[in-house]
């Protein structure tokens, strides 16, 4: 299993040694989709400071989740983030798209911070709306882009079916 | 937005007052799917204590993530969990299914703990394998079942398309 | 120092033994004031989902801070909160008042959770606005009311000078 | 609301991008006052290792609170602190003054760490003494000084009324 | 491996299901020894509020560590502690003994909280003194007593060699 | 008490100011012993993915514990670790040896991270096996080696009695 860097030769899990890597600016972008009933999405969309702003809560949960990544993902390095941004977009009548951008100067990449933030934001949308729509799909979450470090620039291929409408029909 | 219990009449977010609810046994089951390349799944499947056990790491991350739910999801009540179990199943050549069961004696349900645990376990699988398969889809995560409390027993409808193979084609 | 229950007879700090106390419903209310320039308060007041909602961020920080009280205040008991509410009121041209209500079924009171939540919410207002008003006064925070448990019902005397305008003149 | 850097143009909260800023030595000093009954302050003052040292507990709570700032204040950057010092001074018969100094090499300032540490130390004094003096005023907390970074050196104007005796009369 | 309750029949780690157990008062006592140079112990012993109180810091670290047990030990249940006490005794010229007592009303025992608190307190003594004595031995930590729950009362046999002087000779 | 750097001249605890120190690569190695019944060790040794892998759980707990050191040890600096490795060795029929290596680029040493990780891993072994062997000895933990920084290279003298068999006889 030589490809899995989180294990040593004996199969023991480890936090990979990045001491020899250079500190460079590293960025990542991840997205998470939340698929729900048409009426639930409409309710979120109409929310504002007066009626209850689901997305404002989810955005903060995502930003704060990014900062806890090193505690949540066992073999992640703790990182001092330079920036976290969380954006929302309604990509269909049933689907909310969450995009997170993270940046850090560090010896290792910041993908897991973006992935974790997007997932926590998506889970928070579920928590806020579960009283009216228990069947919501939280995710999938995927990496869109990363840059910085030796492994270079990665850009994900476009998803062929977006928004998950094919996997949620009620 | 009367249906969204996490907001009061003025639209302000709040931790819902459950003081008047009874302490009962509450359970939840959630699942998360991870979709990946055939070779990645084969690598995970062949893992053991000698080669590197991806699922053992993900299982622990899920159990520990369940305990952090109250910190991660802003309006969740902190809960003293009675049980957390994380199980894995390979449901196709490309798809790993993670199922989490949570139990608590409390005044509020334990769905978010199951959903969060499943998501963190799935994110950990991604972290362990991202060096060989950056395009993995983490999730979707969904609630399968809940019981206990006034709102009664909920069982999710079967998903029409399982495993997300329709949304991952490379 | 017999009155200070957090020390034993030898002067050693301890988490007070509440094992013999009964589980009862306990509530607390605390307030924190934030005093600032007239223009800063006007800016906060005009904020909404489109322009930037300082109070929505502070409210969530307060709710989440309440849940961390047992970690932050060394001799506090960890408590499973039943409810946390954070409300805002502009009590003068310069002063924002934050009121937090907490509730729990437990063997010990929930005052520190209310005080901590109010303080963290107030600190967050400072953080959001410090770029335009570094001289803001964060607090004072005080207990307004507590009930439940053997020590009975406490209601604070009205403050003689409210809003701190006498201690902020620029 | 262009002055509030924690929001983007659409009003969405974000962790400000500091990736382009230079790493420099940044320091901050903050103070928090705690106003109490004359007998309470006398009790704290007489405390030592044999009778119970309130300030020793509060000092540690402050130092540890500084390290949690990034978790507590939603939009703060996580920082690796170089130094935290907490000092106490009795400034009147009723008033304890807490002063915290923080230092870091980083891309952003360390004011919130000093403010948070001072507030947590003050809350801990309240917790230790609340059994004998529930009406204590915790705070206000204010920034005294900051240096480092582009925005330069800031020194607070002296407070005109110190120690809060005008707002606590019982 | 049927004796190891933290694994299910397939060998998967789990948080044991305690939902069917009764809530009873459970207590535990644990000790940890710290063995050091004679001069180091003398330095600790002479410490007080004026010179620097190593044990006051270690005591607080132990109490706070008890509260974090559920986060640190992967398969531990999160528990709402009723009491934590940390006591120190100099049992030889080279050996400090730390004893921790924990109490909780819960469905599972509180041994790990006592063991963890004793270990964290001992590690903190090391941290405070390492500049003058890097070779200190931290531990061993062992369970002295537990009561409550179905498994009944356990009292450890007296240690035959106390204080570890036989394993530290410099 | 001039040797104890964690106190200032007045005896007040502080987080030592390391702002003037250089960032260098710092490493540490620590070990912790766990002494148990012969049958318990045999059970751990036979464990694998099918029967229950005690050491895999303990290893992860150690790695994650290293990341929490700054929260657990009151006066430790928060550090962004570059590497954590946890290794196990059976050094006698009754004794498991845990060795942890930590690495960081920082202004202060990484000994406490290695010591804490080794202790948490050892406590986790106890937790996993306590149902069959309550009398296990957890520790002692000691520093084996450190390098980097002004104080230079430290290598511990070999322990004269290894494995603690002399202090565990049942």
């Amino acid at each position: 299993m030589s490809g899995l860097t989180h294990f040593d030769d004996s199969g023991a899990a480890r936090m990979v040694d990045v001491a020899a890597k250079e500190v460079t600016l590293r960025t990542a972008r991840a997205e998470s989709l939340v698929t729900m009933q048409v009426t639930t999405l409409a309710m979120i969309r109409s929310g504002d400071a007066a009626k209850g702003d689901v997305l404002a809560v989810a955005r903060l949960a995502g930003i704060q989740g990014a900062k806890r990544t090193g505690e949540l993902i066992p073999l992640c390095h703790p990182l001092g983030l330079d920036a976290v941004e969380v954006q929302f977009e309604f990509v269909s009548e049933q689907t909310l798209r969450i995009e997170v951008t993270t940046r850090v100067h560090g010896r290792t990449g910041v993908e897991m911070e973006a992935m974790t933030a997007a997932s926590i934001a998506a889970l928070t949308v579920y928590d806020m709306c579960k009283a009216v729509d228990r069947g919501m799909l939280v995710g999938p979450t995927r990496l869109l882009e990363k840059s910085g470090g030796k492994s270079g620039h990665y850009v994900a291929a476009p998803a062929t079916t977006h928004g998950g409408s094919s996997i949620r029909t009620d």
Side-chain angles (χ1 to χ4, degrees), chain A:
Chain A
M1 265 180 132
S2 59
L4 302 192
T5 52
H6 281 310
F7 296 112
D8 67 15
D9 292 343
S10 72
R14 61 178 173 186
M15 189 196 288
V16 177
D17 188 352
V18 299
K21 294 193 183 181
E22 270 181 275
V23 173
T24 61
L25 177 60
R26 291 154 193 271
T27 67
R29 276 190 313 122
E31 75 169 16
S32 194
L33 303 177
V34 187
T35 308
M36 62 194 88
Q37 292 177 11
V38 172
T39 51
T40 308
L41 189 144
M43 198 179 271
I44 293 174
R45 202 164 200 163
S46 70
D48 60 20
K51 291 190 198 155
D53 190 343
V54 169
L55 301 186
V57 179
R59 179 181 283 116
L60 283 177
I63 293 172
Q64 291 178 288
K67 294 191 261 188
R68 313 298 291 274
T69 303
E71 294 180 15
L72 297 172
I73 310 300
L75 303 175
C76 265
H77 295 80
L79 287 181
L81 291 160
D82 286 346
V84 183
E85 278 175 56
V86 179
Q87 290 173 320
F88 299 102
E89 181 189 5
F90 296 103
V91 294
S92 81
E93 280 198 313
Q94 292 194 272
T95 306
L96 169 69
R97 197 176 79 87
I98 304 169
E99 184 174 320
V100 177
T101 306
T102 52
R103 266 187 208 86
V104 77
H105 281 82
R107 293 179 208 282
T108 184
V110 77
E111 302 98 289
M112 288 316 298
E113 281 71 13
M115 298 282 287
T116 300
S119 297
I120 300 291
L123 284 166
T124 299
V125 171
Y126 182 85
D127 181 49
M128 304 295 287
C129 300
K130 69 181 190 293
V132 299
D133 189 2
R134 266 208 192 90
M136 293 169 81
L137 291 177
V138 177
T141 301
R142 63 184 190 119
L143 185 67
L144 296 177
E145 186 175 358
K146 78 176 283 285
S147 67
K150 240 180 163 173
S151 67
H153 198 172
Y154 166 83
V155 181
T160 49
T161 305
H162 220 214
S165 57
S166 72
I167 57 169
R168 168 72 189 258
T169 54
D170 61 320

